[in-house]
Amino acid sequence: MRILHTSDWHVGKVLKGQSRANDHIAALKALVDVAEAEQPDLVIVAGDLYDSASPPADATKIVTRGLSALRKTGADVVVIGGNHDNGQALDALRPWADAAGITIRGALTKPEELLLPGRTRDGEEWRLAALPFVSQRYALRAAEMFDLSAAESAQSYAHHIGGLLATLAKGFGRDTVNLITGHLTVIGATMGGGEREAHTIMGYAVPASVFPSSAHYVALGHLHRAQTVNGPCPIRYCGSPLPIDFGEEENFSAVAVVDVTTSTAARVREVPLPVATPLRTVRGTLAQLATLDTGEAWLRVYVSEQPRAGLREEVQELLPKALEVRIDPKLLPDPKAAERAAARAGRSAGELFADYLGQKGHADDATVKLFHQLHDEVQEARN
């Protein structure tokens, strides 16, 4: 059978005040084009369809239209909830999804609802263990739902996930293609740069050993960089179809196409996806920035100039698509030096204000001069 594996769409993302809606529409159209060309039997969307638990209406329109278009290619479509999604809200779409032939598992439920059977166009049977994102708080309820023992329930998050997967894997068959999809952080994998750290570290990472060797392929979401993870079975993150935030501009935007049978190992191909509006980080003085050809990219700019009032506006005049403007960290004053200066007694209000501006990276003689003028006027009024 052939699988198209995608995840981490993050529809509804607003980057420094800039909507990414057009970028997402273009990315999902490219994804559908790949599905039409590759004709997969199954499309797996491994979580984080949305960027927030309360997506705007236009984000829901983009997601539902994208899922419908994938389904119209003839493939079965299975969606799980991620940590950015509202699992219950995703499940509220199930009546629509069921009518459209799309399977949604937004939040954890009983094991029998998470082990999904299917059959390819050629009659090959598959089983998919679909595990939505499980928070640490919800892991205890999951243990009860899966009838785990008291000893198992008292274990760590990784043990909980291993127990849930082991329970689901009991439904795998010897003559079926056995698949797992989850929204997890696996130890040893590399973060993409835009993930929510609270759900990728701090006890949420699990070892690859939680996946059973009986699985023919594990389709993961959560980390935005496409990569294979070593383990007892083929394990892969497909990555996000577009860079979600600055820090991900070097990530390879792609979708994974997987060919697998009951008797042959999974063969994975990365199919690249075009990025309508790339993200780019640039550095330099104003003179250097003025020479850059940045095309249509959204920009993060590190300015190699001393901080001063109006610098941001000067940069944005040179580079209208600069969404984030920062002073090069090398030019910022040493905070320890500011602390030492603050410890000195006998300073005037103007000196304190100048030190504060310097510490925040906004030191400017004109601003300090204006402060002195206003301060003197206030003092004269009081006298």
Side-chain angles (χ1 to χ4, degrees):
M1 69 177 295
R2 175 166 289 177
I3 304 159
L4 188 148
H5 169 201
T6 181
S7 74
D8 296 277
W9 294 357
H10 288 270
V11 178
K13 174 72 175 181
V14 176
L15 182 60
K16 311 301 178 183
Q18 175 63 48
S19 170
R20 306 291 304 283
N22 289 336
D23 294 337
H24 276 110
I25 291 170
L28 295 187
K29 181 182 182 303
L31 192 65
V32 172
D33 289 343
V34 173
E36 289 177 342
E38 297 287 347
Q39 286 294 293
D41 299 291
L42 172 64
V43 174
I44 297 174
V45 187
D48 279 0
L49 285 84
Y50 297 108
D51 191 61
S52 73
S54 301
D58 63 335
T60 298
K61 183 185 296 185
I62 292 170
V63 165
T64 53
R65 285 182 175 178
L67 293 175
S68 296
L70 288 170
R71 175 62 181 139
K72 287 178 181 178
T73 66
D76 289 311
V77 178
V78 175
V79 177
I80 62 170
N83 62 303
H84 280 254
D85 299 317
N86 182 325
Q88 287 74 25
L90 269 183
D91 282 333
L93 293 174
R94 285 176 64 170
W96 162 81
D98 291 343
I102 298 165
T103 302
I104 293 179
R105 294 295 182 264
L108 201 66
T109 183
K110 297 179 180 179
E112 55 268 26
E113 292 190 33
L114 298 179
L115 185 64
L116 308 174
R119 186 184 296 272
T120 70
R121 302 176 182 90
D122 296 330
E124 192 169 20
E125 291 189 47
W126 51 266
R127 298 285 183 274
L128 173 62
L131 185 66
F133 175 74
V134 182
S135 69
Q136 288 184 320
R137 181 176 62 180
Y138 203 75
L140 292 177
R141 281 189 62 188
E144 297 172 359
M145 204 177 292
F146 277 56
D147 294 323
L148 301 183
S149 68
E152 290 171 318
S153 299
Q155 299 294 331
S156 67
Y157 180 82
H159 280 86
H160 279 305
I161 296 299
L164 303 182
L165 291 171
T167 299
L168 293 173
K170 290 178 181 177
F172 287 166
R174 292 185 177 181
D175 298 323
T176 59
V177 178
N178 301 318
L179 308 167
I180 294 174
T181 185
H183 199 80
L184 297 162
T185 301
V186 179
I187 295 170
T190 303
M191 292 177 63
E195 301 87 349
R196 185 175 293 169
E197 287 192 1
H199 291 152
T200 52
I201 54 176
M202 296 173 61
Y204 274 91
V206 302
S209 58
V210 298
F211 301 109
S213 58
S214 56
H216 291 94
Y217 181 72
V218 177
L220 293 180
H222 197 23
L223 302 188
H224 297 173
R225 180 172 296 178
Q227 59 193 292
T228 297
V229 180
N230 292 328
C233 55
I235 305 167
R236 185 164 182 84
Y237 288 97
C238 60
S240 175
L242 78 167
I244 300 302
D245 208 335
F246 293 112
E248 295 189 9
E249 56 258 49
E250 300 301 324
N251 289 356
F252 180 66
S253 297
V255 61
V257 176
V258 186
D259 291 301
V260 61
T261 71
T262 57
S263 58
T264 58
R267 291 182 289 110
V268 182
R269 288 183 289 119
E270 284 187 333
V271 179
L273 297 175
V275 177
T277 311
L279 304 182
R280 184 176 171 187
T281 299
V282 296
R283 292 174 167 82
T285 63
L286 287 177
Q288 291 168 332
L289 295 174
T291 66
L292 297 179
D293 179 6
T294 56
E296 295 300 312
W298 297 117
L299 302 175
R300 175 174 62 179
V301 183
Y302 286 100
V303 193
S304 301
E305 301 268 356
Q306 290 297 327
R308 64 175 183 273
L311 182 58
R312 177 185 297 273
E313 289 73 15
E314 292 181 57
V315 172
Q316 290 178 326
E317 185 175 351
L318 288 174
L319 301 170
K321 302 203 74 171
L323 299 182
E324 184 176 334
V325 180
R326 297 184 179 185
I327 300 297
D328 189 325
K330 296 178 182 178
L331 298 180
L332 292 176
D334 180 3
K336 292 185 178 180
E339 291 175 7
R340 290 192 296 269
R344 298 171 184 169
R347 294 175 306 160
S348 68
E351 290 171 335
L352 288 168
F353 182 69
D355 286 343
Y356 172 80
L357 288 181
Q359 188 175 0
K360 294 297 183 181
H362 300 295
D364 179 62
D365 290 339
T367 304
V368 174
K369 183 178 179 180
L370 178 60
F371 175 86
H372 279 292
Q373 179 182 339
L374 294 173
H375 183 266
D376 290 342
E377 291 176 1
V378 171
Q379 290 299 103
E380 289 177 4
R382 286 179 178 177
N383 296 331

